[in-house]
Amino acid sequence: AAGDEALRLFADAVQCCLRNQDLGGRLGGEEFAIFLPETPEALALPVAERIRARMAETPLQHDGCEMNVTVSIGVTEAQSKDSLQTLMQRADRALYAAKQAGRNRVMPASQLP
């Protein structure tokens, strides 16, 4: 039940930070993808940071307990040669780099080797 509440908390954070033309959805488990059409990585990073900060600032209330929930976010920009698969793989690499760097952070794919 706490996991379901964490998903709702995340959905609320995302909804507050996106524009009408943006699209977000759950891939499965606790992984999500958010598409910001016509948005370069440099402009997507502040959006991702707002989502991360909102999650870090909003404690999860469950069964009388308060818990902190954090997120790690990988950000990438679509290139003309990208398939959906290569785009998602690059974002996933950035996500795991954010986790390895200590979690609760946003990692741009452009900073990866």
Side-chain angles (χ1 to χ4, degrees):
D4 290 342
E5 187 56 36
L7 293 174
R8 279 191 287 281
L9 192 69
F10 182 74
D12 289 345
V14 168
Q15 196 169 39
C16 290
C17 297
L18 298 185
R19 306 165 297 184
N20 289 337
Q21 68 267 30
D22 299 335
L23 176 66
R26 185 175 176 196
L27 297 175
E30 57 187 40
E31 288 200 7
F32 293 80
I34 299 170
F35 294 95
L36 308 176
E38 307 292 324
T39 306
E41 185 182 87
L43 295 179
L45 288 169
V47 175
E49 180 54 35
R50 281 194 300 274
I51 294 168
R52 187 212 58 77
R54 186 171 175 94
M55 288 299 295
E57 296 166 355
T58 309
L60 172 69
Q61 306 288 333
H62 181 72
D63 282 345
C65 296
E66 189 173 281
M67 298 173 259
N68 293 323
V69 178
T70 62
V71 297
S72 299
I73 303 174
V75 177
T76 193
E77 180 178 343
Q79 306 297 319
S80 60
K81 65 185 182 314
D82 281 336
S83 66
L84 180 58
Q85 182 179 359
T86 59
L87 179 65
M88 295 295 289
Q89 286 172 341
R90 197 166 53 249
D92 205 43
R93 278 188 39 230
L95 163 67
Y96 282 99
K99 288 180 177 186
Q100 289 176 347
R103 300 181 181 270
N104 191 30
R105 64 190 66 231
V106 173
M107 179 67 67
S110 63
Q111 291 184 5
L112 301 178

